Amino acid sequence: MTSTELVQAMPSLPEKMNYAQALAESGLLPAQYRKQPANVLYALEYGATIGIGTMAAITGVHVIDGKPTASAGLISALVRRAGHRLRIRVEYDQQGSPRAVAEIVRADDPEHAFESVWTLERAVRADLVRIKDGKPFARDKNGRALPWEKYTEAMLKARAITECARDACEEVLFGLHYTPEELGAEVAEDGTVVITDARPQTAPSPPPPPPPSADDYVGKDLLATLAAQFTALGVTDRDEGLMTIALLTGHKVDSSRELTNAQAQQLIDVLEPLTQAEDPSAALTDALHQAMAAADNADVIEGEIVTTPEENHDHAA
């Protein structure tokens, strides 16, 4: 396949948006993606960046506190796919206390081995777990056992793998520097996210503003202007238009008639210079890509954002 044929075979942004819209209707998706096509589109784009499929990204990449995270298994796969050798083992001392040792030998530097060791003592110093009656003990505020108590060896292995990968071959991680557990999420033994609601107590949010009155909703003149702009930009599909509104204004609506006058005017002001471009459709595509890139640094995925206090090197180096 020639480079021209390859470019032509790649789906366009409108095609990706339509795909995300359809996939978001599935009841089999994790909760943060259901009825959230923008979140699905984020996963699709991030998966393409690191070379994994959309479904692998949806199930394997979690955004916590604005940072993408991945299971230790996915991080291991990225390391090995790059040709580096990764070995992980769990050892026990004479008292039966476990320690995990991860070793990576780079393909381009086979004479040097990077090594990370995580012991139960180190986890205790990092305040991840404590010892009670000679056994690991970690509970939440409701008294439920946390992963460091239930899956101590697996947690040690995950910490050793991610720490070693950050030191040995950060370039293959594409920003996936941490596991969800390192940033505060509760996980199962295999690294699957169970709970990500680890927000600290904060002051109550101010009451929401009153809903707009009938006079505040968009009028016919502004709707006509928007329709003309969408036509000039080549946006003829309803779902594509609604996705464009959501990405460029931050307002998710089921119809353009749900926009207020102010929101409609905001969108018109954004679209007007795009319609004057030499290639309006390409200008819109660039604007949507920029909006998606900006969303990478914002709270993109509802139900997956966790705000945690600053942690030391052992918590999330």
Side-chain angles (χ1 to χ4, degrees):
M1 179 178 288
T2 67
S3 58
T4 300
E5 291 172 334
L6 182 61
V7 170
Q8 291 175 343
M10 294 176 62
S12 65
L13 183 58
E15 289 173 332
K16 293 178 182 178
M17 291 164 64
N18 289 336
Y19 172 66
Q21 187 82 35
L23 189 57
E25 296 299 316
S26 172
L28 301 179
L29 295 182
Q32 65 269 20
Y33 293 102
R34 294 177 207 144
K35 306 293 184 179
Q36 298 289 337
N39 296 353
V40 175
L41 186 60
Y42 175 92
L44 191 154
E45 291 294 298
Y46 204 95
T49 299
I50 65 177
I52 63 176
T54 300
M55 297 311 300
I58 285 176
T59 57
V61 177
H62 304 272
V63 176
I64 298 177
D65 197 21
K67 299 175 183 177
T69 68
S71 68
L74 178 54
I75 290 175
S76 299
L78 294 174
V79 171
R80 289 178 170 127
R81 188 179 67 180
H84 309 311
R85 188 179 69 196
L86 167 64
R87 290 178 176 173
I88 179 72
R89 65 184 185 274
V90 176
E91 303 171 343
Y92 297 88
D93 62 18
Q94 294 180 346
Q95 288 74 39
S97 181
R99 75 177 204 149
V101 181
E103 180 184 274
I104 293 177
V105 177
R106 290 183 59 95
D108 56 1
D109 188 11
E111 301 302 318
H112 177 71
F114 293 84
E115 185 178 271
S116 175
V117 179
W118 265 83
T119 63
L120 186 55
E121 179 184 1
R122 186 177 176 186
V124 170
R125 290 200 310 268
D127 201 26
L128 299 169
V129 65
R130 60 192 178 94
I131 304 300
K132 184 177 181 180
D133 298 328
K135 298 179 180 180
F137 183 86
R139 299 293 173 95
D140 65 12
K141 61 183 180 181
N142 296 318
R144 295 185 305 114
L146 293 173
W148 276 96
E149 178 178 334
K150 296 187 291 185
Y151 320 118
T152 306
E153 289 85 351
M155 295 296 100
L156 291 172
K157 287 169 59 178
R159 289 278 175 149
I161 289 170
T162 55
E163 184 175 75
C164 195
R166 288 194 295 269
D167 290 341
C169 46
E170 184 175 4
E171 76 281 356
V172 309
L173 302 182
F174 298 96
L176 297 172
H177 295 146
Y178 304 106
T179 63
E181 180 270 331
E182 287 179 282
L183 294 186
E186 183 174 333
V187 298
E189 185 175 10
D190 62 357
T192 304
V193 172
V194 177
I195 296 175
T196 58
D197 187 11
R199 297 180 179 86
Q201 294 296 320
T202 58
S205 301
S213 66
D215 293 337
D216 290 331
Y217 284 110
V218 60
K220 293 182 179 180
D221 291 344
L222 293 182
L223 282 176
T225 301
L226 282 174
Q229 288 180 326
F230 277 132
T231 299
L233 294 168
V235 179
T236 57
D237 179 79
R238 178 180 179 276
D239 290 338
E240 182 182 345
L242 294 177
M243 182 73 78
T244 298
I245 293 173
L247 287 172
L248 294 185
T249 70
H251 302 292
K252 184 179 178 182
V253 295
D254 295 323
S255 168
S256 58
R257 297 181 183 276
E258 295 179 8
L259 293 170
T260 64
N261 280 315
Q263 292 166 351
Q265 189 59 59
Q266 174 193 357
L267 182 59
I268 288 171
D269 292 342
V270 172
L271 295 180
E272 183 58 31
L274 304 182
T275 63
Q276 304 302 318
E278 182 176 350
D279 186 342
S281 180
L284 176 62
T285 298
D286 290 342
L288 293 175
H289 275 300
Q290 292 173 13
M292 290 170 55
D296 286 354
N297 296 320
D299 293 348
V300 180
I301 299 182
E302 294 183 4
E304 281 292 305
I305 305 303
V306 175
T307 303
T308 58
E310 291 297 325
E311 300 180 344
N312 60 26
H313 174 79
D314 279 343
H315 277 69

